[in-house]
Amino acid sequence: MKSYSPKGLKTSDLQTILQNTVMPRPIAFASTIDKEGNPNLSPFSFFNAFSSNPPILIFSPARKGTDGSLKDTYFNAKETKEVVINMVSNSMVEQMSLASTAYVKGVNEFEKAGFTMLPSEEVKAYRVAESPVQFECKIIEIKELGNNPGAGNLVICEVLKIHILNEAYDEKGNIDPFLLDLVGRMGGPYYIKTTQEGLFKIPKPIGSIAMGIDALPEYIRISPYLTGTELARLAGLEKLPDPTGIQPTKENFIHAKSLIADGKIVEAFTFLY
Amino acid sequence: MKSYSPKGLKTSDLQTILQNTVMPRPIAFASTIDKEGNPNLSPFSFFNAFSSNPPILIFSPARKGTDGSLKDTYFNAKETKEVVINMVSNSMVEQMSLASTAYVKGVNEFEKAGFTMLPSEEVKAYRVAESPVQFECKIIEIKELGNNPGAGNLVICEVLKIHILNEAYDEKGNIDPFLLDLVGRMGGPYYIKTTQEGLFKIPKPIGSIAMGIDALPEYIRISPYLTGTELARLAGLEKLPDPTGIQPTKENFIHAKSLIADGKIVEAFTFLY
């Protein structure tokens, strides 16, 4: 592996490494106003949810890596203690990218990026009408992580109201990730969207404890025929089934692999154990 | 839109909403040890980078939504002030899911999930040898967001050392998202992986300021033929090109659309303006 000590790296190189390795990142499209009521809109991907009770979202309008300057979002957050965090769908993302341009203070990024200012119910900052998920928040604390260029500022937000697009729900009333169609941030110029090829499911057995890979017989664990993923699926059962006395030949391992791929775990064991 | 006040929701419902709307989330596969040296390994998706100088990662081993209990990762972090955050690649994710099972204290999830304990250089906690990115961290603060069931705990980590798989770099020495092959967390049982279909690029003009959608002539801005994304691409130029005097007919808009799709923005304008 390549190993790096942050102390030996330029801030810009370290930032590039973090952006290319901590991913995919959700995007907070943060809408604020200054004390005169001028709107500001800017995206941040150093962002996530961190708590459900209280409901807390945190994003970081960091100091610029070059000169340590701060963004309008930071100043507005500090002045007004309010923000609307809008999630970004695929149909909005190129407009969002326009809003990330470094416009001078006072420029309304809603207009620059062609978004509609929707009044909020609990705060003065506007919602992005085109966004499928809008969180109206009060800012309970801004925690500064330093004063150097590249230092983050944790804007700790308590959610007061959540708005979700009606069309993002399936017929059972659950939020459908394809209908919501959010994008995430990757490194450099890259983003990721939700596709049939990209989305996958790992079913979690409810109320049962997986036996674990260490509970599998050694000849299965060290077999050259099975991947870690296949071992994980076998080890997801609560315990080993009764042994069948079968010989673990290469052919039987190959049979077992295709049964595992089909989700037939108990049947797969009959070729292995 | 459907609107919710967090105060009117059960914690479990609020948690479901946050997990289904704040996404995709990066995954911290957190390796800790207790003061006796017993290893623990558990995944958390309330996680992200927040600062590059100092280099800060934060994850939240939250209180359980049902009974408010805390996880071993929280106790170990508090006791030892150290953690290794391992990123999760597609080939590891089903094994990782095994490690998220609620094993009793003292069980080594490295063994249960079939991962290899790799000694760290700066901390006592082990790295996951199979992980393509490993951050050795000291914990500078644990900030508790409450005491109720569902309350988050911000484990604020300063990165001491970063290890990245050699094979994740392309021939130019840049980290390649396909070679790294990380997965993100979505709602419910869903994860997202990096695919050719899902990954896309939004080029950002360096050193130039986009004119913005508000600088486009109104008949272009309100045209029924162009989407917000197409307007954003037109508005990405620094200024309007010289007008050609062309009539903005439906046919010309259709021509322009296909040029925009090909990235030929200046040419597209010759059919519009």
Side-chain angles (χ1 to χ4, degrees), chain A residues 94 100 112 204 213 233, chain B residues 94 100 112 204 213 233:
Chain A
E94 297 209 26
S100 70
K112 281 285 157 204
K204 188 93 83 168
I213 287 178
R233 291 187 189 176
Chain B
E94 297 208 28
S100 70
K112 281 285 158 203
K204 186 95 78 170
I213 287 178
R233 291 186 190 177

Side-chain angles (χ1 to χ4, degrees), chain A residues 190-233:
Chain A
Y190 288 104
Y191 292 76
I192 192 161
K193 62 185 171 189
T194 308
T195 61
Q196 295 285 354
E197 293 82 6
L199 201 75
F200 65 99
K201 198 190 263 199
I202 302 181
K204 188 93 83 168
I206 292 166
S208 70
I209 304 244
M211 67 176 135
I213 287 178
D214 59 339
L216 298 174
E218 192 185 16
Y219 71 89
I220 295 181
R221 265 188 356 249
I222 65 168
S223 152
Y225 305 116
L226 297 179
T227 64
T229 299
E230 289 164 335
L231 292 176
R233 291 187 189 176

